Amino acid sequence: MSYTSYKKLLDNSNYEHRICGMHVNVAIGIREAHKHNNDGEFTRIKDNLQALINTNYPGVSFGVAIGGYFTSYFNNSNGKEDIIIHFLSDVTNVDSKMMTFVSKNLLPEVMDGIFRLLYKHDATL
């Protein structure tokens, strides 16, 4: 697995991306999990998102990275998936962001549907 940084994703012209604030439950969950070295919570967030994507867009590949702008403390992305979500954690909820990167190889209506589906989604449920 290669390291997928926020910067590398922004520089990758194969992806369209959108930024939104993280759902407050996700922001709190990520901060608490990082504070207590609880990778299980990161995995649960990833699994919840994977289930949502698989239900609505079967066959679309997915990866997630969780951390800051320059480093991740959880990363299961190889940087080549159809969807990559990078959670940018901050000490405040309002500054915690969810960056969604969607491959431009997908149909435009699929891309739009994915962005709408994931917008501020509470992945802790």
Side-chain angles (χ1 to χ4, degrees), residues 14-25:
N14 295 321
Y15 288 94
E16 182 174 324
H17 71 279
R18 302 225 177 120
I19 305 167
C20 68
M22 243 187 258
H23 189 283
V24 66
N25 293 342

Side-chain angles (χ1 to χ4, degrees), residues 66-116:
I66 300 173
Y69 289 96
F70 301 107
T71 186
S72 294
Y73 34 84
F74 178 87
N75 189 339
N76 83 320
S77 173
N78 64 20
K80 298 177 184 171
E81 295 88 359
D82 295 317
I83 303 168
I84 302 171
I85 297 177
H86 201 296
F87 291 101
L88 298 170
S89 185
D90 192 80
V91 295
T92 64
N93 294 340
V94 72
D95 289 332
S96 295
K97 303 298 180 199
M98 177 177 154
M99 304 285 303
T100 304
F101 295 84
V102 179
S103 171
K104 291 179 180 176
N105 292 329
L106 299 175
L107 295 172
E109 57 270 18
V110 172
M111 291 175 64
D112 185 58
I114 290 168
F115 284 126
R116 289 175 186 271

